Amino acid sequence: MSEKPLLPREVDDKLVPPHWRRAVYANQDLPQGSVDRDAYVVCVLEQLFRALKRRDIYASPSHRWSDPPARLLDGQEWDAVREDVLAGLSLDEDAEQHVRDLLEVLIIREKTPRRTGPPRQPHPVCLVAHGIATESDTWVEAGHRRLPDL
């Protein structure tokens, strides 16, 4: 049983980005002027997935793809659990002030220039202490005979 060809007027052209146009509109195995249904479906699903990841759209009742602010407590619900939540987070100050302080730290970090150049290598003592390397692996390469006394 064959499906009826999909026509260009039946698809939303705004959902087909340039890198998908050839696959969707120019399939040589289909009649002239028809749209490749399979390519269009995959194209639209890809756009949906990207929009979900960017949080441009939400899927309800999914927990992973839902709107996080919509799950926040507000009003009487928040007032009923506020003390317990703040105690559980070890916050004895005003939560709004705490958020403002964290935001200030983030702004400062964003303005701080990032270090360029090759990544720093961890100190051999750290590698040995964390079980990543043995004394002979790191200190022989560094020209040392044994780990220093700490």
Side-chain angles (χ1 to χ4, degrees), residues 134-148:
T134 65
E135 179 180 337
S136 60
D137 292 338
T138 56
W139 285 88
V140 170
E141 290 173 14
H144 299 281
R145 295 190 181 159
R146 67 179 192 85
L147 285 174

Side-chain angles (χ1 to χ4, degrees), residues 1-148:
M1 183 160 80
S2 65
E3 293 182 8
K4 177 181 134 188
L6 192 61
L7 300 174
R9 69 175 184 269
E10 297 175 303
V11 300
D12 187 349
D13 193 51
K14 291 179 274 184
L15 294 176
V16 183
H19 64 276
W20 273 100
R21 292 201 178 281
R22 186 169 160 204
V24 172
Y25 295 116
N27 187 337
Q28 296 176 358
D29 297 334
L30 296 174
Q32 182 69 24
S34 63
V35 174
D36 187 330
R37 183 183 306 271
D38 295 337
Y40 180 68
V41 167
V42 173
C43 169
V44 170
L45 287 174
E46 180 186 72
Q47 302 311 310
L48 173 64
F49 181 68
R50 287 180 184 205
L52 284 168
K53 282 179 65 174
R54 284 190 312 262
R55 300 282 187 191
D56 288 342
I57 61 172
Y58 305 105
S60 182
S62 169
H63 181 71
R64 181 176 184 180
W65 304 111
S66 65
D67 182 9
R71 293 193 315 260
L72 294 175
L73 298 176
D74 196 18
Q76 292 178 342
E77 292 174 328
W78 169 244
D79 292 337
V81 296
R82 178 184 178 125
E83 294 288 325
D84 294 334
V85 171
L86 293 179
L89 296 171
S90 301
L91 294 174
D92 54 0
E93 62 185 78
D94 180 29
E96 290 179 14
Q97 181 60 43
H98 180 71
V99 171
R100 280 194 292 274
D101 293 344
L102 291 175
L103 182 59
E104 193 173 309
V105 169
L106 288 174
I107 291 170
I108 291 170
R109 284 186 182 170
E110 185 63 31
K111 290 180 180 178
T112 303
R114 293 196 170 94
R115 184 179 159 328
T116 59
R120 293 183 188 157
Q121 296 299 319
H123 193 277
V125 172
C126 296
L127 294 173
V128 173
H130 293 289
I132 298 170
T134 65
E135 179 180 337
S136 60
D137 292 338
T138 56
W139 285 88
V140 170
E141 290 173 14
H144 299 281
R145 295 190 181 159
R146 67 179 192 85
L147 285 174

